[in-house]
Each structure stands twice: as structure tokens, then as C-alpha cells.
Amino acid sequence: MITAERPSRLRAFTTAFLGSPTATVALCVFVAMTLAAIFAPLIAPQDPYDLRSVSILDNLLPPGETSFDGLTYWLGTDGQGRDMLSAMLYGLRISLVVGLASGVIALAFGTLVGLVAAFRGGWVDALLMRIVDLQLSLPTILVALILLVILGRGIDKIIVALVVVQWAYFARTVRGVALVENARDYVDAARGLRLPPLRILFHHILPNCLPTLLVVATIQMAQAISLEATLSFLGLGLPPTRPSLGLLIANGFDYLQSGRWWISVLPGVVLLVLVVSINVVGDRLRDVLNPHLRG
Amino acid sequence: MAEFILRRILQALLVLFVMTVLVFFGIHVIGNPVDLFASSECTKACLDEIMVNLGLDRPVWQQYLIFLGNLAEGDLGRSFTHGVPAMSLIWERFPATLELAVAALVLALGIGLPLGFYAGLRPESILSKVIMALSMIGFSVPIFWIGLILILTFSVYLGWLPAIGRGELVSVLGLEVSFLTLDGLRHLAMPAFTLSLLMMSMVIRLTRAGLREVMTSDYIRFARANGVPEYRVLGWHAMKNLLIPIVTVLGMEFGGVIAFAVVTESIFSWPGVGKMLIDAISVLDRPLIVAYLIFVVTMFVLLNLVIDILYSLLDPRVRLGAGAV
């Protein structure tokens, strides 16, 4: 990858990505959902956190019912009389924030560990990779469960738990790519020019790890959102005052048996569409950026 | 060889030790369980008495040493809420979880293999594309939501299957199982299917990818050229090589399936160890939480150890590679 070629490469990449109609649709869906989440306070008919605007008299209305003061609940209301559409928009916001924040922190930390391991080698590499192996040998849900039992509830705590279960994937991926790059001629040339090691690491090796990292990050983000929803569903993730999509589904679970499907099913559909669209985008990125990663 | 196995065993023991420290001290950071189940008229003296009874008045490191000593004897303390040894609760509940996990494994192979085989043989057909799309969804969708949809469809609307519990049990060789009664099977169907989805998607992908690779290899061509019938080429020659990665991955995933059973059991109120854990967490039943975590981690470490050792017996490269690090 040579910097001077970048504009044309970007165009080639975009063309290749858009070559798959499924991936293009998935990308559009993801962008639309992100926008809806960002502008939730403007779009949502109701502020679900504002108790004054929520009327308990309106609870458990099926989709399309109208409230006493003329507001139509297109997607129904939940057990506390909250408008489902608004609750879902705000829930989507929280799910995305958690997925993005944990992904970015895990990416930064994992990348650092991976680069150090690859660049230093020797016992540092061996030790770090042992820790990574240990981390990856335990199922993510188990590690996250242990951490959340210890840490308690809260948006910061679930982000910590998700970072802990994710960083090792980034570390291992970056180490692998960095080792390959480290052995290339251009890095030898940079060494021959007596460039400082940190400069080689961050200006030469890191940029070449980015395509692979992008793929891993996308897939990890989908995983994180899904895991957060699962943990919240178990009552371990977020506090009930600010429900994410997972918590909304959990709240609706109690009403499922009595046939009030919309409270659980609708946030579930949103979650499903979100996670699947991110995964489809990730798959396409992998095919376009690095065909060797298929598998 | 002996050195490799010894090294792996030591490593496993180290992991277990680190986990006991983490879990034990971690659990002690969280709230005081006494507040939760002492009655409201309980005075300071009565609170202190409970603390002494539970051994919570000692310093934490002393509590840890006692815990470690007891652990060596297989005693993980008494559950606060049930008043019986935590380990006996786990052993009592574990067969239910194991049955669920094994049923999920059987479903994953029973459904995943044929579907993956079809998709591998006819990669361009529409049905194959549908199968692959479904396996993609199986990977992406949080399984608890699938469980909800199943309950809604089969219990609430159709009324075919019961949504909660384990159903009628029969005792086989001292083990209570439910898959031998019709009622038990009806209870087992939805939780097992929900739990199997992830493995099933994996089996479909592995089978398809493996089959496509195997079918172009020389030995298959040779078998065909020799006039070996097609069903035998596929069902015997191709299958033998296909199964190796599938068995490996499933073996490694099995511990994860048991851990993931926490979610499935909560949805379907399946009386296994996972449901027990969630209940224990909600009442802060420390010994039970610690016992569960130690139990699952131990099982996991042992499973990995066995797979590693088996692998090193089968493939010398693994052994030599590990020795070089």
C-alpha cells in the first residue's frame, strides 16, 4: 500500500464494496439506524425517560391504538405506558453507544498489545500471547458474566466487561498482521534508514494493519451489541432506568405469555436487523479488503 | 511427550488458581449478603451473629485460605439461601444442563450436517443460498430472541409445546433424564433447538467449506475413477475428512455451550445450573455463585487440556511447536 495511490484505491474499494447489492442495502440500513439513534430526541414522539409525558393509563396498548390525549402509538406501548417507538429509538441509541465505545476501546488497547508483542518479540511476545490464549479459551459470555457479577450494573461497567472480552481478538489479529509486515522489505528499508522504532511501528506497520482491523472491528461490534443485549436480558447489564434494546426485550418477556407480543418482538426485530446488517457489511469488507481472511 | 503433558497440566492448574483468586476476591468486593436476608427487626447483635455464623467476620485473606482448603476437599461452602452444600446443589442440577447441551449437540449435527452437505454439493442452487443465509442469521441473532419467538409461536399461539420446565423424568442408571418420555421431549424441544442454533450454523459452514475443498482433491477423483458408487464417495470417503474439523470445533465449543445454557435456561425456566446461577446472582448467594464459576471454569480447563493432549498425540507438530515457545 503506497500513500500516493490512495485516492484511486479508495475509489476501487468503494466500487468493489458496492458491487454487492446485499452489502449496499445493509450499509444503508446501518447508516439509517445510526442516524435515527443520533437524532432520537428529535424524531421520537415521546421522551421515554420523562415520567411526566408517560401515562400509566396508556399501558399495554397494541400497535396503532390512540391514547386519551390523541397521540397515536404506532408500535403500541409497554407495561409502563411508554411509547414503544420512542423507547426503541432511545434503546437503539444505548445499544449503539455501548457497542461502539467498547469496540473502540478494545480496538485501541488490543492493537497496542498486538503491536508491542509483534515488535518486541521474545518473552514479551510469549507472555502477552499466553494471556491472549487464556482469554480466548474461556467463553465470552462466561467472562462477561463473572465481571458483571463483580462490577454490578451500569453503562460504564458493561463497557468494561465488553472491552475485556474483546481486546484479545484485536491483539491476536494485529500481532499476526504486524509480524508479516515486520518481515517485509519496506520495514527493513525503514530500519536501514535508522528511523526511530516508534515511527516505524506507527507510521509504517500500523497503517498496513488497518484493513484487517476494520474487518475485525465490524464483526466485533455486532458481537458486542448482541452480547450486551443478552446480558441485559439476564438482568446483568444496564440499569432498568435507561433500557437498551436487550432490556426492552426482557421487559416484554413477562407479557409474552399473555399474547402481548409487540413489547418483546419489536425491539428484537430492531436488534436483529442491526446486528445482521453490521455482519453483512463486515463480511463484505472482509471479501473486498482481504480475500485471504475468508473462512 | 511426557514433558508436554506435564507442562499443559501445570498450566491448567495455574489457570485454575488464578481463577479462584479472581472469582473469590471479586465476589467479596460486591455487597454484603447479610443485609439481604436478615429480617428488618434484626438488631446489630443479631447481624453480628449471622456474620459469625457465615464466617464473614474474619479477614478476607483468611476466608480465602479456608475456602482454598475446603476446595481441595471438594467442599465449596454452603449456599446461603438453600442451606445445603453448594456443590451438591450443582451436582443435582447439572444433569439437566448436560442433557440440554447434549440434545443441542445432537440437533446441531443431525440438522447441520445434511444442510451443509447439500449446500456444499449444490452451491449455486437457491436452496443452498437460503441455507447459507439462515446460517448467517444463526451466527448473528442473539439466541435469547429466537427463544422468545419460539415461545410466542409454539406455546402462546399454537399451544403445541410447553414454554417452561423440564417435564416428566425417567431414571436411567441413576440419572434423571427427560428425553425418554413424550412429555419430556416436548419440554426439551425448544430449549435444545435454541441452544443448538449457534453450533448448527457452525456445522453448516464447516461442512460446506470442507466438502467443497475435499471434492476437488485427488483421492475423491481417484475413487470416482475407480467406479466407487457416488453415495459411498460422499458418505464414506468425503465424510471421513470432513468430520475432523467439525469434531474439533464442536469439542472446543462444548464448554461454551454449557456456559451459554445460562441464557437458554433462563428463558425456558429449565432447572439446570445456569438458571441456578442467575437466581443466585439476584439474591447474592455468594458460595453458590463462586461454586458455579469454579465448576464451569474447571470443566472448561479440563476440556481444553484433554483436547490439547489428544491433539498432540495425533499431530506431532503441535507438540513440537508448543515446545519451541
Side-chain angles (χ1 to χ4, degrees):
Chain A
M1 186 190 286
I2 303 162
T3 30
E5 265 182 40
R6 197 162 277 162
S8 63
R9 280 184 62 101
L10 186 66
R11 195 171 308 139
F13 164 70
T14 317
T15 319
F17 185 91
L18 297 180
S20 151
T22 325
T24 314
V25 171
L27 186 67
C28 292
V29 169
F30 175 66
V31 170
M33 289 181 107
T34 313
L35 288 176
I38 294 172
F39 296 111
L42 298 176
I43 315 171
Q46 186 189 62
D47 179 0
Y49 303 148
D50 181 11
L51 289 176
R52 281 166 306 173
S53 70
V54 177
S55 165
I56 190 75
L57 292 173
D58 287 343
N59 73 337
L60 303 175
L61 292 177
E65 284 280 313
T66 313
S67 77
F68 297 110
D69 40 355
L71 186 70
T72 306
Y73 298 116
W74 293 112
L75 299 179
T77 59
D78 70 359
Q80 286 138 26
R82 277 187 296 222
D83 173 37
M84 280 310 293
L85 176 62
S86 314
M88 274 156 50
L89 282 169
Y90 277 83
L92 183 63
R93 218 167 137 94
I94 295 179
S95 292
L96 275 172
V97 164
V98 168
L100 209 62
S102 65
V104 168
I105 301 173
L107 174 94
F109 182 66
T111 305
L112 196 67
V113 170
L115 282 180
V116 169
F119 206 63
R120 289 295 300 271
W123 68 268
V124 178
D125 184 29
L127 178 71
L128 288 175
M129 284 306 116
R130 279 273 150 260
I131 300 175
V132 167
D133 281 346
L134 171 62
Q135 173 81 62
L136 292 181
S137 74
L138 297 169
T140 50
I141 184 126
L142 185 66
V143 177
L145 266 176
I146 297 178
L147 283 169
L148 285 175
V149 168
I150 294 170
L151 295 171
R153 282 180 166 198
I155 197 163
D156 48 340
K157 281 146 191 159
I158 193 148
I159 291 177
V160 169
L162 290 176
V163 168
V164 171
V165 297
Q166 288 185 86
W167 71 272
Y169 290 97
F170 291 106
R172 171 172 281 184
T173 312
V174 171
R175 175 182 173 270
V177 182
L179 274 181
V180 172
E181 296 298 326
N182 205 10
R184 292 260 167 94
D185 289 343
Y186 75 94
V187 176
D188 269 348
R191 284 219 182 83
L193 289 171
R194 300 235 173 254
L195 292 180
L198 280 182
R199 196 187 142 89
I200 300 179
L201 199 56
F202 286 105
H203 277 232
H204 298 252
I205 296 180
L206 183 59
N208 285 303
C209 301
L210 287 181
T212 319
L213 268 178
L214 185 65
V215 175
V216 179
T218 322
I219 288 160
Q220 281 300 314
M221 185 174 158
Q223 294 265 331
I225 291 175
S226 171
L227 188 58
E228 179 273 315
T230 307
L231 292 165
S232 293
F233 177 76
L234 292 174
L236 283 165
L238 294 162
T241 46
R242 294 276 157 110
S244 68
L245 290 174
L247 213 52
L248 286 174
I249 298 172
N251 291 340
F253 187 45
D254 302 332
Y255 301 105
L256 203 62
Q257 294 279 356
S258 54
R260 296 186 175 93
W261 53 272
W262 60 93
I263 310 173
S264 258
V265 172
L266 295 178
V269 172
V270 174
L271 183 69
L272 178 75
V273 172
L274 178 67
V275 173
V276 170
S277 65
I278 299 178
N279 269 332
V280 170
V281 170
D283 261 16
R284 185 67 194 161
L285 281 178
R286 182 179 58 194
D287 292 350
V288 172
L289 288 174
N290 194 346
H292 305 298
L293 271 178
R294 268 168 192 273
Chain B
M1 188 63 222
E3 192 206 325
F4 172 80
I5 293 179
L6 198 69
R7 196 213 299 267
R8 282 296 290 119
I9 290 176
L10 282 179
Q11 219 173 6
L13 284 176
L14 186 72
V15 172
L16 280 180
F17 175 71
V18 172
M19 288 311 288
T20 62
V21 174
L22 273 181
V23 168
F24 188 83
F25 286 95
I27 292 293
H28 277 76
V29 176
I30 60 174
N32 187 344
V34 177
D35 302 338
L36 271 171
F37 59 119
S39 64
S40 53
E41 60 256 37
C42 194
T43 57
K44 177 86 177 69
C46 143
L47 281 178
D48 285 345
E49 199 194 308
I50 299 178
M51 293 278 276
V52 173
N53 278 342
L54 296 176
L56 294 172
D57 55 328
R58 298 173 217 248
V60 177
W61 62 269
Q62 230 175 50
Q63 288 183 41
Y64 176 70
L65 285 185
I66 295 171
F67 163 77
L68 216 55
N70 290 337
L71 181 64
E73 293 167 14
D75 175 10
L76 281 159
R78 273 170 187 279
S79 154
F80 289 163
T81 43
H82 298 266
V84 288
M87 231 24 236
S88 71
L89 271 178
I90 287 182
W91 284 122
E92 195 181 293
R93 298 284 204 111
F94 187 61
T97 302
L98 197 63
E99 181 177 30
L100 188 60
V102 171
L105 192 68
V106 170
L107 278 181
L109 281 174
I111 302 177
L113 266 181
L115 290 185
F117 229 89
Y118 183 83
L121 284 181
R122 294 195 173 71
E124 296 308 323
S125 83
I126 296 173
L127 187 59
S128 300
K129 292 201 167 126
V130 173
I131 292 172
M132 293 321 285
L134 284 180
S135 86
M136 167 91 183
I137 292 178
F139 264 119
S140 324
V141 183
I143 59 165
F144 69 91
W145 192 69
I146 299 281
L148 291 186
I149 296 299
L150 287 178
I151 289 185
L152 190 66
T153 317
F154 292 104
S155 302
V156 179
Y157 284 126
L158 298 173
W160 290 353
L161 296 169
I164 54 167
R166 202 178 165 201
E168 208 178 306
L169 300 175
V170 245
S171 186
V172 178
L173 304 169
L175 211 65
E176 302 258 279
V177 292
S178 59
F179 72 95
L180 290 174
T181 66
L182 188 64
D183 183 49
L185 270 182
R186 288 178 64 228
H187 280 86
L188 187 61
M190 287 198 293
F193 181 75
T194 311
L195 190 59
S196 76
L197 271 178
L198 200 67
M199 275 192 291
M200 201 187 290
S201 310
M202 225 173 314
V203 171
I204 291 177
R205 302 215 143 198
L206 285 172
T207 312
R208 174 176 175 269
L211 192 67
R212 295 189 68 183
E213 197 178 308
V214 164
M215 290 319 278
T216 57
S217 63
D218 288 343
Y219 82 96
I220 293 289
R221 243 181 267 160
F222 191 69
R224 279 188 176 150
N226 263 352
V228 177
E230 191 65 15
Y231 71 89
R232 217 182 126 74
V233 171
L234 292 175
W236 177 248
H237 296 273
M239 191 60 109
K240 266 201 304 188
N241 268 324
L242 266 181
L243 281 177
I244 297 170
I246 295 175
V247 168
T248 318
V249 171
L250 287 186
M252 278 158 52
E253 278 298 309
F254 197 65
V257 169
I258 298 236
F260 239 101
V262 172
V263 184
T264 320
E265 287 176 10
S266 308
I267 302 170
F268 295 99
S269 295
W270 186 262
V273 280
K275 177 88 175 61
M276 187 196 73
L277 174 74
I278 296 299
D279 295 342
I281 288 173
S282 61
V283 294
L284 279 188
D285 191 337
R286 268 195 221 166
L288 205 51
I289 300 174
V290 172
Y292 171 85
L293 295 179
I294 301 273
F295 177 76
V296 172
V297 170
T298 309
M299 201 179 61
F300 217 76
V301 170
L302 286 181
L303 211 63
N304 277 349
L305 183 70
V306 170
I307 291 173
D308 270 8
I309 292 177
L310 281 181
Y311 238 77
S312 77
L313 291 174
L314 293 173
D315 188 346
R317 280 171 304 180
V318 177
R319 192 159 74 221
L320 298 173
V325 170

